[in-house]
């Protein structure tokens, strides 16, 4: 339901437009003069769309879009004119009008125009909500999300940062494990460096030297002694990514370093102590790796003191839109262009997608979309091919675990939004498909919008 203000000195036209829009379920107010309209828009009443005549007696109706832009910049204005020339249309749009309608009014075009304007206003509000949410949820941890699982994760990360215990961050590739490690370091109060290494990126002999250091002449090309990362990160944090890929010969050496807080550089005759916070990460199931003989059980218990399990993006609900807005704002700012956000159809595609590459895949998709778009709203055509061609919504039985299965309310929201998408945003048509009356649909949409605000 949209709250519509009609401004026209033609009483029969006002009455006709009001009845037509009320029949579609909208709440309508109508006034005959510019001064009354200005009082209304400056008042406290809810307002989603303004419908005004180009001529209000001796007054110029184009003043109204300018005043609406001052008082309620997110409210679109539709201008009605009986002088529908290109010049008047351009003048209306330049004054800040969203669109214009020719008189005599075609009732079907009137309802479609109001529905489109109301949808535009809701989209604008959604963008503002997303930007506010990004600012709020980013917080000190530098991470974004409002879903229940992410709020629990934020709380656990904050508490883990206050301790000196070793932390195991688990989750699929692209879920942000290094971001969690950096957040723990930044909140820990440690003044040393944050250093990171991917345990799968180099062979075991080079990894040992990289972690523990070496003395001059310890091996070919060791022309000078070098501290390893454990010592270089002294007073700070060392992040060992993909620890599940660690060679079995290297695992007992790492275990001893973690237990003793001392390392022996390659080729050295004595050990060196260090004071370094350790955070490790894996996208493997380490318990299964233990059963298969690929990972030492004692090392597992040493690194798994605090376990931060990151949910996949597909299990984070509308967090995908928060993250998308964050990346859109970042890449638009870097490119020096103005982009409001996502169109409704594009947002639906993001919500439909399973995101096997998680946040990293979403980031790449938004960077591409910002680079290619020619409009202020990212369209479906700007998205990668996998999202443009994907129409099948992930259903209840596509989930792989109970944690990923949607609630009944989530399924209802998804289905309603899919029907709205299929009906081109026409709420009357969507209500008929859903088998409910328009007012029931409006109430559901309003309640969900409040929940997500």
């Amino acid at each position: 339901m949209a709250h519509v203000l009609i401004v026209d000195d033609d009483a029969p036209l006002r009455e006709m437009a009001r009845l037509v829009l009320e029949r579609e379920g909208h709440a309508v107010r109508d006034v005959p003069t510019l001064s009354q309209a200005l009082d209304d828009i400056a008042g406290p009443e809810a307002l989603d769309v303004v419908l005004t005549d180009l001529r209000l007696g001796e007054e110029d109706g184009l003043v109204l879009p300018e005043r609406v832009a001052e008082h309620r910049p997110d409210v679109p204005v539709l201008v009605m004119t009986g002088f529908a020339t290109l010049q008047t249309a351009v003048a209306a749009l330049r004054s800040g009008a969203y669109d214009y309608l020719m008189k005599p009014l075609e009732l079907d075009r009137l309802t479609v125009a109001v529905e489109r304007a109301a949808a535009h206003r809701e989209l604008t509000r959604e963008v503002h909500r997303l930007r506010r949410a990004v600012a709020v949820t980013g917080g000190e941890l530098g991470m974004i999300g409002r879903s229940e699982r992410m709020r629990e994760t934020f709380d656990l990360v904050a508490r883990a940062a206050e301790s000196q215990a070793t932390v195991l961050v688990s989750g699929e590739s692209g879920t942000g494990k290094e971001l969690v490690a950096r957040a723990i370091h930044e909140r820990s109060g440690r003044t040393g460096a944050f250093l990171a290494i991917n345990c799968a990126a180099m062979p075991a002999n080079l990894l040992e030297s990289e972690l523990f250091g070496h003395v001059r002449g310890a091996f070919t090309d060791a022309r000078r002694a070098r501290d390893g990362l454990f010592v270089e990160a002294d007073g700070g944090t060392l992040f060992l990514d993909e620890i599940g890929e660690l060679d079995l010969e290297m695992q007992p050496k790492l275990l001893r370093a973690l237990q003793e807080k001392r390392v022996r550089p390659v080729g050295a005759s004595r050990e060196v102590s260090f004071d370094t916070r350790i955070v490790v990460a894996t996208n493997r199931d380490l318990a299964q790796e233990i059963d298969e003989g690929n990972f030492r059980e004692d090392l597992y218990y040493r690194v798994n003191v605090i376990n931060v399990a990151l949910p996949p993006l597909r299990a984070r609900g509308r967090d995908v839109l928060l993250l998308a807005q964050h990346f859109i704002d970042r890449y638009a700012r870097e490119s020096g262009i103005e982009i409001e956000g996502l169109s409704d159809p594009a947002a639906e595609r993001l919500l439909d997608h399973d995101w096997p590459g998680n946040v990293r895949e979403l980031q790449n998709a938004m960077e591409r979309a910002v680079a290619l778009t020619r409009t202020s709203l990212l369209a479906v055509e700007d998205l990668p091919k996998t999202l443009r061609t994907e129409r099948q919504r992930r259903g209840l039985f596509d989930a792989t675990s109970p944690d990923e299965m949607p609630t009944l309310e989530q399924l209802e929201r998804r289905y309603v939004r899919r029907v709205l998408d299929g009906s081109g945003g026409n709420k009357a048509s969507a209500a008929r498909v859903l088998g409910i009356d328009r007012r029931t649909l409006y109430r559901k949409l309003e309640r969900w919008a409040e929940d997500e605000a």
Side-chain angles (χ1 to χ4, degrees), residues 27-195:
V28 183
R29 305 188 300 275
D30 63 279
V31 296
T33 67
L34 178 61
S35 59
Q36 288 174 294
L38 295 177
D39 289 340
D40 192 290
I41 65 171
E45 293 83 359
L47 185 59
D48 297 309
V49 180
V50 173
L51 181 65
T52 183
D53 192 9
L54 181 65
R55 298 293 180 186
L56 298 170
E58 297 300 319
E59 299 175 308
D60 185 356
L62 292 184
V63 172
L64 194 55
E66 298 173 355
R67 295 296 181 86
V68 171
E70 293 175 7
H71 293 277
R72 306 199 186 196
D74 60 338
V75 173
V77 179
L78 299 172
V79 173
M80 300 178 288
T81 175
F83 312 95
T85 66
L86 179 60
Q87 184 177 1
T88 57
V90 170
L93 298 177
R94 282 180 174 173
S95 70
Y98 173 72
D99 201 353
Y100 71 97
L101 296 167
M102 293 182 293
K103 288 184 177 181
L105 290 179
E106 297 178 15
L107 300 185
D108 289 342
R109 177 165 169 72
L110 170 64
T111 56
V112 169
V114 169
E115 290 278 357
R116 187 184 298 120
H120 173 77
R121 202 251 172 163
E122 181 55 35
L123 179 61
T124 302
R125 294 175 65 189
E126 175 74 0
V127 170
H128 291 161
R129 282 197 296 265
L130 289 173
R131 283 177 171 158
R132 287 197 304 269
V134 166
V136 171
T137 59
E140 297 179 12
L141 297 179
M143 296 184 290
I144 296 169
R146 291 199 302 177
S147 63
E148 182 178 354
R149 292 186 66 176
M150 286 308 293
R151 288 198 298 267
E152 293 172 353
T153 299
F154 296 156
D155 179 65
L156 180 57
V157 168
R159 286 185 287 129
E162 296 173 356
S163 77
Q164 297 302 312
T166 303
V167 178
L168 169 63
V169 186
S170 58
E172 296 178 8
S173 178
T175 50
K177 295 186 288 293
E178 183 168 346
L179 192 61
V180 169
R182 288 183 180 277
I184 290 172
H185 169 70
E186 290 168 5
R187 289 285 295 270
S188 67
R190 286 184 159 263
T191 58
F194 174 90
L195 301 179

Side-chain angles (χ1 to χ4, degrees), residues 405-426:
M405 293 181 180
T407 65
L408 285 175
E409 184 177 2
Q410 288 172 329
L411 283 176
E412 180 186 24
R413 293 190 188 198
R414 289 179 183 178
Y415 182 64
V416 168
R417 285 178 174 130
R418 185 173 185 182
V419 171
L420 276 169
D421 187 25
S423 60
N426 188 307

Side-chain angles (χ1 to χ4, degrees), residues 73 132 142 156 284 286 323:
R132 287 197 304 269
L156 180 57
R284 290 179 176 268
L286 291 186
L323 288 159

Side-chain angles (χ1 to χ4, degrees), residues 4-31:
V4 183
L5 173 65
I6 301 174
V7 188
D8 200 308
D9 57 359
D10 184 340
L13 185 143
R14 288 202 319 273
E15 178 70 11
M16 179 194 69
R18 182 174 61 80
L19 291 175
V20 168
L21 295 175
E22 286 181 340
R23 192 172 64 224
E24 292 297 316
H26 301 299
V28 183
R29 305 188 300 275
D30 63 279
V31 296

Side-chain angles (χ1 to χ4, degrees), residues 179-396:
L179 192 61
V180 169
R182 288 183 180 277
I184 290 172
H185 169 70
E186 290 168 5
R187 289 285 295 270
S188 67
R190 286 184 159 263
T191 58
F194 174 90
L195 301 179
I197 186 171
N198 188 324
C199 297
M202 58 183 65
N205 59 330
L206 292 181
L207 181 62
E208 181 177 2
S209 172
E210 191 72 16
L211 291 175
F212 303 151
H214 61 259
V215 298
R216 184 181 178 213
F219 51 83
T220 304
D221 295 332
R223 295 185 176 88
R224 60 183 180 84
R226 164 176 193 275
D227 290 332
L229 293 179
F230 276 98
V231 175
E232 288 181 15
D234 188 67
T237 301
L238 177 60
F239 175 53
L240 304 177
D241 197 8
E242 302 300 350
I243 196 173
E245 307 290 340
L246 200 62
D247 187 274
L248 276 171
E249 293 184 5
M250 186 65 190
Q251 291 181 27
K253 298 176 182 179
L254 176 60
L255 174 63
R256 187 173 189 282
L258 297 179
Q259 288 176 330
E260 303 297 329
K261 295 290 186 181
R262 299 175 67 85
V263 294
R264 185 189 297 273
V266 177
S269 58
R270 60 187 182 84
E271 294 182 330
V272 180
S273 62
F274 62 87
D275 173 24
T276 303
R277 174 76 179 274
I278 307 299
V279 180
V280 306
T282 182
N283 60 10
R284 290 179 176 268
D285 183 343
L286 291 186
Q288 181 178 340
E289 294 297 308
I290 292 171
D291 291 339
E292 295 175 357
N294 298 325
F295 202 81
R296 292 177 61 106
E297 187 173 15
D298 49 4
L299 178 58
Y300 173 72
Y301 288 120
R302 171 57 60 183
V303 299
N304 190 28
V305 179
I306 299 175
N307 189 339
V308 178
L310 292 178
L313 185 55
R314 62 181 173 273
R316 293 176 55 181
R318 293 179 71 82
D319 277 0
V320 66
L321 299 184
L322 285 177
L323 288 159
Q325 188 65 53
H326 167 72
F327 293 131
I328 290 169
D329 290 343
R330 175 200 292 182
Y331 293 122
R333 186 169 55 250
E334 290 177 358
S335 302
I337 57 179
E338 288 289 334
I339 298 180
E340 292 182 23
L342 295 158
S343 67
D344 283 347
E348 288 294 334
R349 295 299 176 91
L350 265 57
L351 291 169
D352 287 347
H353 191 52
D354 276 338
W355 300 108
N358 291 293
V359 178
R360 188 178 296 120
E361 180 187 0
L362 173 63
Q363 180 176 356
N364 291 342
M366 293 303 97
E367 183 176 13
R368 176 191 189 277
V370 169
L372 296 180
T373 191
R374 295 179 178 177
T375 63
S376 62
L377 288 175
L378 299 187
V380 171
E381 292 71 24
D382 300 319
L383 301 176
K385 184 178 180 180
T386 53
L387 277 78
R388 294 198 308 271
T389 58
E390 182 180 78
R391 293 298 297 156
Q392 182 63 42
R393 186 182 300 275
R394 184 163 51 90
L396 174 62

